[in-house]
Amino acid sequence: MADVAVVDGTAPSVPDSNGQVHERTVYEATRGRKLAFCLVFILLLPFYLSLAPMLFWRLSQGVWTGTFGLLVLAAGFSAIMFLLLIEVMHSLRTRIELGPKSVKMTLPAGRGPTPIVKYRNFDIPYDDIEAVETRREIYGGSVAPVLLQGARIILKDQSALRLGYINEANTDPCFPYPVIAEQIAHRAGLEVRNRGNVRRSVQKKFLGLNRDFISESEGEVPETEIAALNATHRRWVMRTIALLLGMVVVGIALDIAFPPSSGLPPALTSVTKAIMGGF
């Protein structure tokens, strides 16, 4: 859905410490986005909660037919519901208000590129800001790399406050964190520090990037190689979409060609018949 940042400039203009006049600007999710995520979560919740009693009955009665598939479904459903809960909380709670003298924010309290459920409130005067930094972080391998642009605030006590991340392949118009960082820096009378392109140590340890793209001896990624990473990401996303569409088409074709004759799912019945017919 097309969401846009909510900008509210109705508050009276007040000069800041530098004598500049700034209107109050608010970034938060739109009402349509909040309503859509809440409705989807509420509609899926009864089906998700019904999986627990279904699994308990099957295991307690010793019914093993289809139980393994139900366990796989429950695991996948749990992951989807957790991610959906994160998005619901992010839409309802995240808010950044740029005032004339301070920035008031409600942001996730956890670390990492994905927000968690716990949130914290901040009210930071612009005079307490030492620097505003942005950088591009690369996660994943060369098969399907994910490029995130992050922004953070460095206070004069040397503590760091992360604003958030945006995915270069799917930016969030409600929370354009690099743009917000530039506005905060401007109101604080600072220039944004661009820390360049870096590779996170967690993915270097477990996933790694292809040596053809990034030298293992360096932590920075040249701009000339960012285009290649983005092209790789787009290519693998399109392959995944094509594979999923192909599986749907094949499943529908099998259901039409081989009508179900048992209690098994139609596609599974069709595949079973085709396999058994070869013996």
Side-chain angles (χ1 to χ4, degrees):
M1 64 188 66
D3 294 321
V4 296
V6 178
V7 179
D8 185 356
T10 59
S13 300
V14 180
D16 60 11
S17 59
N18 298 322
Q20 296 180 329
V21 178
H22 301 289
E23 292 184 341
R24 185 172 67 94
T25 304
V26 178
Y27 290 90
E28 62 181 357
T30 61
R31 294 180 180 178
R33 178 173 179 170
K34 296 176 182 178
L35 180 62
F37 275 120
C38 290
L39 285 178
V40 172
F41 184 80
I42 292 174
L43 290 175
L44 292 178
L45 188 59
F47 299 96
Y48 175 66
L49 295 178
S50 65
L51 290 175
M54 291 172 60
L55 285 171
F56 175 78
W57 181 86
R58 284 176 171 271
L59 295 175
S60 62
Q61 299 296 321
V63 179
W64 303 107
T65 303
T67 302
F68 178 75
L70 191 60
L71 285 171
V72 175
L73 175 63
F77 210 157
S78 298
I80 293 174
M81 292 298 290
F82 177 71
L83 294 176
L84 186 57
L85 176 62
I86 289 175
E87 291 296 336
V88 170
M89 295 300 299
H90 182 60
S91 299
L92 295 177
R93 296 295 308 277
T94 302
R95 188 176 188 271
I96 300 177
E97 177 182 336
L98 305 180
K101 295 184 178 181
S102 66
V103 53
K104 298 179 180 180
M105 300 178 291
T106 302
L107 297 173
R111 298 177 60 85
T114 303
I116 61 174
V117 178
K118 186 178 179 181
Y119 281 72
R120 292 180 59 189
N121 297 320
F122 302 91
D123 188 355
I124 303 175
Y126 296 122
D127 294 339
D128 293 344
I129 298 177
E130 176 73 20
V132 180
E133 299 179 343
T134 61
R135 70 177 182 180
R136 180 189 281 115
E137 299 183 2
I138 302 176
Y139 295 82
S142 60
V143 173
V146 177
L147 280 68
L148 303 178
Q149 289 189 9
R152 68 175 184 172
I153 298 174
I154 307 297
L155 302 181
K156 291 185 177 179
D157 61 2
Q158 300 306 310
S159 61
L161 173 62
R162 188 202 65 181
L163 288 177
Y165 292 85
I166 61 169
N167 191 325
E168 290 191 3
N170 184 23
T171 59
D172 188 348
C174 289
F175 301 101
Y177 291 111
V179 175
I180 297 174
E182 291 180 359
Q183 294 182 1
I184 293 175
H186 176 68
R187 298 190 183 209
L190 303 170
E191 294 290 336
V192 177
R193 295 179 184 173
N194 187 353
R195 302 295 298 272
N197 311 314
V198 298
R199 176 180 49 195
R200 296 292 290 177
S201 60
V202 60
Q203 65 91 35
K204 178 181 178 182
K205 181 177 180 180
F206 295 102
L207 299 178
L209 288 169
N210 194 306
R211 294 177 183 270
D212 295 337
F213 289 118
I214 299 175
S215 174
E216 288 291 331
S217 61
E218 298 179 358
E220 296 186 358
V221 185
E223 286 288 344
T224 55
E225 297 175 355
I226 296 300
L229 290 171
N230 279 321
T232 302
H233 175 82
R234 289 191 295 268
R235 182 167 60 250
W236 280 95
V237 168
M238 295 305 298
R239 289 176 180 176
T240 303
I241 294 175
L243 177 62
L244 293 176
L245 289 176
M247 293 174 63
V248 172
V249 172
V250 171
I252 294 175
L254 288 174
D255 290 342
I256 295 175
F258 304 96
S261 58
S262 67
L264 295 176
L268 183 58
T269 302
S270 302
V271 173
T272 302
K273 285 184 175 181
I275 294 175
M276 296 303 295
F279 293 95

